[in-house]
Amino acid sequence: MSGRLPARATLRVAGLLHDVGKPRSRAFSDKTNDYTFYEHERIGAEMVDPLLARLRFSNEERERIVALVRHHLICYDSSWSDAAVRRWIRRVSPGLLDDLYALNRADVLGKGREAGEDLERLSALQARVAEVLARARP
């Protein structure tokens, strides 16, 4: 995955650790007859924080990486209202948007399957966020 990420250290570390919560969240679903990883992003963020502290990352780097791991799944739906887009931006933090887009793009491309639909959804979100932010500025 890191070959598809820009060369920013915190983004590369987030790319390395973004799915660390999957083993703890793995569960078999009779409904889908497959394994699920619900909440793996939350569990991963909880696991990554103390790890980065032990590795002596700065507080700023640690907070950024934990936030990227926590929010790396982007489940955008074109039916989101402008208010929903603004709430999402506030939740993930405007300062993380570019890294979140890059991390999600790398994650989608790294799955080894057709990624066109997911990439289109990501592009649509980027355009929508830019539109909402442009309207919010005086």
Side-chain angles (χ1 to χ4, degrees):
M1 177 198 249
S2 65
R4 298 185 190 273
L5 286 174
R8 290 189 294 279
T10 54
L11 184 55
R12 294 271 174 111
V13 173
L16 177 68
L17 298 173
H18 77 284
D19 279 342
V20 74
K22 278 192 170 181
R24 286 192 186 171
S25 64
R26 183 176 185 235
F28 190 79
S29 169
D30 292 326
K31 183 177 179 181
T32 62
N33 203 30
D34 200 1
Y35 288 96
T36 62
F37 303 96
Y38 297 128
E39 298 282 321
H40 83 275
E41 66 281 4
R42 181 189 54 77
I43 294 166
E46 291 171 0
M47 294 170 66
V48 164
D49 192 35
L51 170 69
L52 296 174
R54 279 195 313 272
L55 294 173
R56 297 181 186 256
F57 277 74
S58 71
N59 289 341
E60 183 181 321
E61 291 169 325
R62 198 174 81 237
E63 288 171 9
R64 186 170 189 84
I65 294 166
V66 168
L68 288 168
V69 170
R70 174 66 180 100
H71 299 293
H72 79 273
L73 285 183
I74 298 176
C75 302
Y76 174 66
D77 181 339
S78 61
S79 68
W80 283 10
S81 65
D82 286 354
V85 172
R86 286 191 300 271
R87 281 191 303 272
W88 181 79
I89 293 168
R90 272 194 310 275
R91 186 173 67 245
V92 302
S93 167
L96 285 182
L97 291 175
D98 290 337
D99 281 354
L100 275 175
Y101 298 149
L103 183 57
N104 185 260
R105 182 176 292 106
D107 191 21
V108 165
L109 291 171
K111 290 181 180 175
R113 63 173 203 252
E114 173 55 39
E117 188 176 317
D118 291 333
L119 293 174
E120 285 176 23
R121 207 172 8 257
L122 177 61
S123 292
L125 173 63
Q126 285 180 270
R128 184 77 183 282
V129 166
E131 190 179 294
V132 167
L133 289 175
R135 275 186 289 193
R137 293 190 176 101

